[in-house]
Amino acid sequence: MTISNGAFFTAKPVKSFRKLALGLMISGLLGTSAPVLAQNDAIPAPVDVLGHAPGDDFYLANYEDSLKYFHALADSTDKMQMFTAGKTTQGKTFEYAIISTPDNLTKWEEYKAISRRLADSRDLTDEEARKLAATSKIIVHIDGGMHASEVADHQLPIKLAHTMVTSDDPKISRILDDVILVLWPTLNPDGQDMVVDWYRQNTGTEHETSPMPWLYQEYVGHDNNRDGYMLNMTESRSVTSQVQENAPAIFYSQHQKAPFPARIWVPPFSDPISENIDPLVRHWTSLIGMHMIGEFEHQQLPGAIAQARFDNWFPGFLDYTHAFRHTISYFTETALHLYATPWEYDAKDFPDNRKDLKPQVMYPSPWKGGKWTLGDAVHYMEVASISTLDTASRYREQILYDRYQSGRDTVARFKEEGPFAWIIPAQQHDLSEAGELVEVMLRQHIEVYQVNKSATFGDTKVAAGSWVIPMDQPFAGLVQELFERQTYPATFVDKDGLPENLPYDATGWTLPLQMGVDTVALTSKLSDRDKKKLKAVTTVDLPSGIEGRGNVFVAPQNQNASFALINAALAKGASVSRGTHDKQPAFFISGIDKDSADALATAHDVTLQGTSRAPENAQAIETARVGLYRPWKPSMDEGWTRWIFEQYGYNPVTLYNDDMKAGDLLSRIDVLVLPDIDLSWITEGFSAPKSDSWYNRTGGATEDPVPAKYAGGIGSEGAQALRDFVARGGKLIAFNQASDAAISLLGLPVKNVLAGVGSDVFYCAGALVQTELNKEADSAATLGLPDDPVVMFSHGPAFDTLPGFDGTILSSYPEEGDVLLSGVLLHPEAINGKAAAMEVNYGDGEVYLLGFQPQWRAQSHGTYKFIFNNLYK
């Protein structure tokens, strides 16, 4: 197996002033001895190229504008070069700039190599590292953000680039001498164009600040910053690949939504923090943030706040995962109104705890209100960015040496404390997912090995083909973070029994649990003799092909990869049935020759068994016509679901509100999937337009109404169409909160026992929880699943049946004991013995209620089969 869609991009230089000058010399237009004009005379300002300055009211530059200016700037100065770094989902070319002195830029490859060596640490002594730190330059990444609706993010780099190459400030000159700035116009080109286009078409209308009715990154929207360790998205892989190649010592990403009424949030982060990140990295993150606050005070710019809201717990943020590579990774959150429309704020409208305007240790100069513009946000971002660069310059040598120490100390920690390795055994319930887990590690530049024949390490026997991840490597903290079970350090609880400082995002994410993969932590040290049994791997090669003879080919149903394989086979005209092989659920493929079957097996890394015929009781299946409801109120869960369906070959039909209202759904689809959205999103959606809202906004954060075509939900017509669809034989699958919606819309005899309960009765927001299959259930919905699936539970329901219930409980939470496996869950007794998933008969059709997130951020691979099994007819 090769890493699917995971080829790492090597950046390619695009243009530079030197190349332009050389061309002029060769053509005779510029003699080698001719004096060069002062740089500033030839360097264009943004307004010269774009007709606007970044931060102008009612104006936003799109991605093409950003590149147009970046290239104009690079063509006019020898302080800037452009590079390409792969493609976006929609096919745009990723580009970024490097900015420094001309001499530093000529040594770019050398300084990158040094930065990578310092982060790795293993081939250096302390003395050698000190010399490299003393003589090298520091690489700093700053970008125009991932969240395209946070518009100042992608306007800032235009202004910052101009400042860095034109300023006569001695501080900037010092920064350029010490620092190589890697400046990305944006980390989300597709989204920048979408948001800017939407704003431009609505500027000056009653919809000027209305929300855009689709995700601003094709599949994941705001969750593009939740893909930092899985790297599912093309953009995540391109950015991470460049971070691994360029090895910045500092990674700073722009965001917009400071805790109101603060004007900018900066580090230090709130507790809790991960113990798998080296203390020096955490330390420098806090120091850089405090330097920012000092700079805002120095420039008399009020409203900088630290610590409030944001923590360092969940490792999946794309602007945070790099910390496990000993990169000082962080973001800031600058105040935002809406797009480039200015707004006036009155302190009397501030939250009660901020109305007194009293200073605090981490909020030293409270903002007192007034007008706030896009230009103000861009200015605050530029101050924070230059402050970061100034800190990097002033402490260049110490930061670089501490980076080496972080790598050195991580290796030493796991050499002494353990675990000394993580083992992924070759015997798995779903071998394809074990391979996927290894791929995740390889994408993160984790060193993975394999044993060619059975071996024993200490008291642990390891079968041939198993993977081994030794922990005496510099980025082992990321392995530990992803493989261990999360125990949240909640020391205090409030009056409702809720831990204080709950994480900003998920509380548990242990990848082996999510993916249904068995792993073993090695508690004995690997000897030199043990290490000789290991062979480094760079790709995942799973057993594939055909074993045995016959014209019918058997694919194991317990492997997720088999679903993609049979969908491809069906698309080629094969026949597929579902039955049992060697007492295990399996698919039987016929109607294609052996060469075609072998090609499918190789492409999907599945071993097929050749046999003479399918069992007599095997049931013929076809890929169902799958409909996926997509509300105009953008749903990231819908996007993730759509991406997964496309990856596995289900090719879903998108159904909007009008498609639902049109009725006769059964003529178009066989299965309808409701992603994790609540009832109001389905029935109401965006609020209807109000003619006077544009002129009478209040509270400073009210969005304008969306255009009428995007307003509302499915309404009563769509609800009736939904009921008719199921009653006439359709299949409805509802994820998590949508299960409550399905219960309500169809009047199902099912009760959500968690409806309306407070945190004193039950609380769980993003944790991994144990369930048990109902072994008495006679349903195809759970075929291929293990007996005890681990589910991602986040603000979901748990079910009891009511009188008149007709159906099957598919899985339940254990009758007693703590169901929590990783993360935070309070009062498990509230769900002990309750149903987690059920099949409910409704007329001639069925409703599948999944009270959890079976495809959470394309990470919960272990519960995909709850969905896939129901996508056939």
Side-chain angles (χ1 to χ4, degrees):
M1 177 184 285
T2 56
I3 300 179
S4 57
N5 297 321
F8 292 122
F9 296 103
T10 300
K12 298 179 180 179
V14 181
K15 293 182 180 180
S16 71
F17 177 83
R18 286 185 177 276
K19 291 181 179 179
L20 177 64
L22 180 59
L24 292 172
M25 292 176 188
I26 293 172
S27 65
L29 297 177
L30 180 63
T32 55
S33 60
V36 178
L37 295 175
Q39 290 281 311
N40 287 358
D41 293 339
I43 296 177
V47 69
D48 300 327
V49 177
L50 304 179
H52 288 273
D56 280 357
D57 288 349
F58 308 107
Y59 169 78
L60 293 174
N62 63 20
Y63 182 58
E64 288 68 32
D65 293 331
S66 297
L67 290 187
K68 181 180 180 181
Y69 182 69
F70 265 57
H71 280 278
L73 203 58
D75 286 346
S76 65
T77 177
D78 58 358
K79 297 178 182 177
M80 181 174 177
Q81 294 180 5
M82 295 294 296
F83 289 81
T84 61
K87 298 286 186 179
T88 68
T89 299
Q90 295 180 355
K92 294 180 175 65
T93 301
F94 251 134
E95 294 193 37
Y96 65 86
I98 59 172
I99 299 173
S100 191
T101 64
D103 184 60
N104 288 346
L105 296 185
T106 63
K107 299 176 182 177
W108 171 232
E109 295 297 327
E110 175 186 340
Y111 291 135
K112 285 194 301 182
I114 290 172
S115 195
R116 288 194 297 268
R117 286 187 70 195
L118 289 170
D120 185 287
S121 78
R122 286 174 295 186
D123 68 340
L124 294 172
T125 64
D126 290 1
E127 183 179 358
E128 290 169 337
R130 287 190 186 280
K131 289 180 180 178
L132 287 176
T135 57
S136 186
K137 307 301 178 181
I138 187 169
I139 300 170
V140 177
H141 166 115
I142 297 179
D143 63 62
M146 289 165 271
H147 296 154
S149 62
E150 299 167 3
V151 294
D153 298 356
H154 41 76
Q155 305 303 295
L156 171 276
I158 298 172
K159 188 173 191 298
L160 181 61
H162 180 257
T163 297
M164 295 306 296
V165 302
T166 62
S167 176
D168 294 326
D169 187 336
K171 179 167 73 174
I172 300 296
S173 297
R174 169 173 51 79
I175 288 171
L176 292 175
D177 284 339
D178 294 330
V179 178
I180 299 177
L181 168 62
V182 179
L183 183 62
W184 294 66
T186 178
L187 299 187
N188 184 7
D190 297 345
Q192 181 177 348
D193 279 352
M194 282 188 252
V195 168
V196 172
D197 288 349
W198 177 258
Y199 182 64
R200 286 178 178 178
Q201 75 185 46
N202 290 313
T203 302
T205 76
E206 65 175 345
H207 307 301
E208 182 172 303
T209 61
S210 66
M212 192 175 71
W214 42 80
L215 296 167
Y216 54 68
Q217 185 160 314
E218 182 67 28
Y219 298 105
V220 296
H222 202 81
D223 264 2
N224 58 6
N225 197 29
R226 307 299 192 273
D227 194 33
Y229 56 76
M230 288 300 283
L231 304 180
N232 285 308
M233 295 295 110
T234 297
E235 289 84 354
S236 305
R237 296 186 186 189
S238 293
V239 171
T240 299
S241 175
Q242 288 307 301
V243 173
Q244 292 165 343
E245 166 70 19
N246 298 336
I250 297 173
F251 183 106
Y252 172 23
S253 189
Q254 304 292 337
H255 288 268
Q256 268 191 287
K257 203 57 178 176
F260 188 74
R263 297 296 86 191
I264 187 169
W265 177 93
V266 304
F269 287 86
S270 296
D271 287 320
I273 57 177
S274 169
E275 62 184 87
N276 293 316
I277 294 174
D278 189 80
L280 286 168
V281 174
R282 302 195 299 258
H283 163 77
W284 277 110
T285 301
S286 297
L287 286 181
I288 287 172
M290 294 310 297
H291 187 191
M292 286 182 189
I293 287 183
E295 189 61 30
F296 283 110
E297 292 298 312
H298 172 67
Q299 297 194 30
Q300 296 187 316
L301 295 171
I305 193 171
Q307 285 194 330
R309 183 185 296 173
F310 303 106
D311 59 58
N312 266 174
W313 183 248
F314 176 61
F317 300 115
L318 188 60
D319 48 21
Y320 173 48
T321 308
H322 314 294
F324 296 92
R325 282 184 283 274
H326 317 308
T327 298
I328 304 163
S329 299
Y330 59 92
F331 55 87
T332 57
E333 298 269 357
T334 308
L336 168 72
H337 173 48
L338 294 165
Y339 306 104
T341 299
W343 190 254
E344 191 81 26
Y345 294 89
D346 191 322
K348 66 181 176 57
D349 297 321
F350 287 3
D352 289 343
N353 65 337
R354 295 295 184 196
K355 284 181 178 177
D356 62 8
L357 304 178
K358 291 188 178 296
Q360 299 175 358
V361 172
M362 290 297 176
Y363 189 36
S365 294
W367 188 61
K368 298 179 180 179
K371 187 178 182 181
W372 186 255
T373 69
L374 175 64
D376 293 326
V378 170
H379 179 52
Y380 270 62
M381 286 180 171
E382 185 174 42
V383 170
S385 297
I386 292 175
S387 174
T388 288
L389 295 169
D390 184 37
T391 304
S393 170
R394 291 176 182 271
Y395 298 98
R396 171 189 58 81
E397 184 175 343
Q398 187 174 348
I399 291 173
L400 290 176
Y401 183 71
D402 283 353
R403 187 175 209 206
Y404 156 78
Q405 290 195 103
S406 294
R408 179 200 64 193
D409 294 349
T410 297
V411 173
R413 169 193 166 186
F414 288 104
K415 274 187 174 179
E416 296 302 319
E417 298 177 10
F420 302 100
W422 281 95
I423 298 168
I424 304 174
Q427 288 79 30
Q428 296 282 342
H429 178 81
D430 185 342
L431 184 60
S432 66
E433 287 307 325
E436 286 291 331
L437 180 57
V438 174
E439 284 193 9
V440 172
M441 296 297 101
L442 293 176
R443 290 176 200 144
Q444 293 290 354
H445 278 201
I446 299 300
E447 295 168 5
V448 183
Y449 298 81
Q450 205 164 14
V451 291
N452 291 328
K453 57 184 180 180
S454 298
T456 300
F457 301 136
D459 296 329
T460 304
K461 294 182 179 179
V462 181
S466 299
W467 295 276
V468 179
I469 305 176
M471 294 293 279
D472 57 346
Q473 54 179 299
F475 308 148
L478 181 58
V479 182
Q480 188 67 8
E481 185 78 7
L482 297 181
F483 279 51
E484 71 180 356
R485 301 189 182 197
Q486 280 70 54
T487 302
Y488 188 71
T491 306
F492 304 102
V493 295
D494 64 17
K495 61 182 178 60
D496 295 320
L498 188 68
E500 295 180 350
N501 298 324
L502 272 171
Y504 182 66
D505 203 85
T507 66
W509 51 82
T510 310
L511 269 189
L513 291 178
Q514 281 201 74
M515 300 178 75
V517 176
D518 293 329
T519 57
V520 178
L522 188 64
T523 56
S524 57
K525 292 185 177 181
L526 284 171
S527 66
D528 291 339
R529 182 179 179 183
D530 291 334
K531 291 180 179 180
K532 291 179 180 179
K533 303 173 185 177
L534 304 177
K535 179 182 178 181
V537 298
T538 55
T539 60
V540 178
D541 296 311
L542 295 179
S544 63
I546 299 174
E547 296 180 352
R549 296 182 178 181
N551 297 322
V552 175
F553 309 100
V554 186
Q557 195 167 346
N558 62 319
Q559 294 197 29
N560 283 344
S562 292
F563 289 87
L565 186 152
I566 66 164
N567 289 340
L570 286 165
K572 290 180 177 292
S575 297
V576 177
S577 58
R578 184 158 53 185
T580 302
H581 181 75
D582 290 340
K583 298 181 180 181
Q584 295 297 321
F587 297 111
F588 298 86
I589 306 166
S590 60
I592 57 174
D593 59 36
K594 185 175 182 180
D595 288 343
S596 297
D598 187 64
L600 286 172
T602 301
H604 295 281
D605 293 319
V606 174
T607 299
L608 299 176
Q609 299 291 327
T611 187
S612 59
R613 60 185 177 84
E616 291 184 4
N617 61 352
Q619 179 184 5
I621 60 172
E622 298 177 18
T623 305
R625 298 170 301 165
V626 179
L628 177 61
Y629 174 63
R630 187 175 184 178
W632 285 119
K633 196 171 182 179
S635 163
M636 292 179 289
D637 200 67
E638 179 277 330
W640 280 117
T641 305
R642 181 161 34 96
W643 182 81
I644 292 167
F645 283 177
E646 290 176 9
Q647 298 301 302
Y648 281 85
Y650 289 104
N651 303 316
V653 175
T654 292
L655 297 174
Y656 292 101
N657 293 333
D658 285 347
D659 299 310
M660 297 288 289
K661 292 177 183 179
D664 196 19
L665 292 171
L666 203 56
S667 68
R668 291 171 281 163
I669 60 171
D670 305 300
V671 180
L672 175 61
V673 177
L674 297 179
D676 181 16
I677 51 179
D678 65 26
L679 180 64
S680 67
W681 280 45
I682 297 172
T683 58
E684 301 173 23
F686 282 125
S687 60
K690 297 178 182 178
S691 60
D692 63 345
S693 64
W694 189 44
Y695 304 99
N696 296 321
R697 295 175 237 171
T698 59
T702 302
E703 297 172 327
D704 287 324
V706 296
K709 65 181 291 186
Y710 305 115
I714 67 172
S716 59
E717 295 171 274
Q720 185 59 51
L722 181 61
R723 289 189 285 269
D724 291 343
F725 165 73
V726 182
R728 291 173 53 199
K731 189 182 295 184
L732 177 65
I733 307 174
F735 298 167
N736 209 41
Q737 294 181 71
S739 296
D740 256 350
I743 292 169
S744 175
L745 289 170
L746 278 72
L748 302 178
V750 176
K751 177 184 178 181
N752 171 15
V753 300
L754 300 178
V757 305
S759 58
D760 57 331
V761 175
F762 180 81
Y763 182 87
C764 183
L768 299 178
V769 177
Q770 186 72 71
T771 66
E772 298 172 343
L773 292 187
N774 177 8
K775 296 182 180 179
E776 304 302 318
D778 182 18
S779 173
T782 58
L783 292 174
L785 283 162
D787 292 338
D788 52 355
V790 177
V791 304
M792 172 57 77
F793 193 104
S794 180
H795 301 291
F799 309 116
D800 250 346
T801 61
L802 295 175
F805 176 80
D806 177 19
T808 304
I809 293 175
L810 302 175
S811 67
S812 301
Y813 300 103
E815 288 283 350
E816 56 184 24
D818 192 350
V819 300
L820 177 67
L821 295 177
S822 184
V824 175
L825 183 150
L826 302 178
H827 312 298
E829 64 276 6
I831 62 173
N832 283 140
K834 304 303 180 184
M838 57 170 51
E839 174 186 317
V840 187
N841 296 322
Y842 186 92
D844 292 333
E846 303 92 29
V847 179
Y848 291 86
L849 305 177
L850 306 180
F852 47 88
Q853 294 179 295
Q855 42 30 308
W856 183 71
R857 294 175 181 166
Q859 297 183 26
S860 297
H861 295 211
T863 47
Y864 281 4
K865 296 180 190 72
F866 275 108
I867 311 168
F868 292 169
N869 282 328
N870 285 311
L871 302 183
Y872 298 92
K873 60 179 181 178

